[in-house]
Amino acid sequence: MLASRPAPPFPLARLAALAALAALATWPLAPAAAQQEIDADLAACENDPRFRVGGAAIGECLEMRRAVLDRQIGDLAESQARRFCASSDQADVRAAQQDWLSYRAAHCGLITRSPGNTVSYVSGTVCNLILARQRMAGLQLMQLYARPLCPAFELVNEASRPGEQTDE
């Protein structure tokens, strides 16, 4: 009769983190900088005592980090919308933000639901973080390079008639 040895301890949190890293490694648009940011997020979550209980806790920690980033994105998107003079331009910026939120929810939701276990949950949260950071970068580009033309003058018909200028 063979004696069975207990399996070496391997925390679920580490397993979930490795799964997230494996998902990130196969992500087609994950440059080295994005991977370094996710590595830093995972390390921070693993070192936080509140999230050491298991794999799903890493996902919850990543969700909290994403929520902070989402607030920053929302604030930046709204401040960018207010920079534009035309109400149609403001509406376009706000609509783009809503469209992006819908896209991210659908895209990362597929990852989270497939197959719907702890590993896919953590991978879905990684997806949310990557796309949130990409959105933040896009909004920062808008902040740097979009230069709305907002003239401070208006056309007054009474003052815009042909003839010689008078000081009336």
Side-chain angles (χ1 to χ4, degrees):
M1 178 172 217
L2 295 173
S4 63
R5 282 191 248 160
F10 196 76
L12 286 176
R14 175 62 65 184
L15 179 63
L18 289 174
L21 288 174
L24 184 60
T26 62
W27 191 278
L29 300 175
Q35 186 161 353
Q36 289 172 350
E37 289 174 332
I38 294 299
D39 289 345
D41 288 328
L42 289 169
C45 289
E46 285 179 338
N47 292 325
D48 188 328
R50 298 174 297 168
F51 302 106
R52 289 189 184 164
V53 295
I58 292 292
E60 291 168 5
C61 176
L62 293 172
E63 287 277 342
M64 288 175 57
R65 296 174 80 80
R66 183 209 35 90
V68 169
L69 189 54
D70 279 356
R71 282 190 295 278
Q72 294 169 350
I73 289 169
D75 292 346
L76 184 55
E78 183 56 31
S79 74
Q80 291 308 297
R82 287 192 307 265
R83 286 180 57 216
F84 288 87
C85 306
S87 60
S88 61
D89 290 342
Q90 293 176 357
D92 285 347
V93 174
R94 291 180 180 115
Q97 177 64 13
Q98 288 305 310
D99 291 346
W100 175 79
L101 287 168
S102 297
Y103 163 77
R104 184 183 67 173
H107 184 81
C108 296
L110 287 171
I111 294 170
T112 302
R113 293 189 309 273
S114 302
N117 57 19
T118 299
V119 173
S120 63
Y121 167 65
V122 173
S123 296
T125 59
V126 168
C127 173
N128 277 288
L129 272 170
I130 290 171
L131 293 183
R133 289 197 173 107
Q134 290 173 351
R135 177 64 176 157
M136 180 63 86
L139 288 168
Q140 289 168 339
L141 282 173
M142 180 188 293
Q143 184 178 31
L144 289 172
Y145 297 111
R147 298 285 178 235
L149 180 59
C150 300
F153 56 88
E154 63 182 66
L155 179 63
V156 179
N157 286 330
E158 297 80 33
S160 300
R161 60 183 182 267
E164 291 187 32
Q165 180 177 353
T166 62
D167 292 330
E168 294 176 25

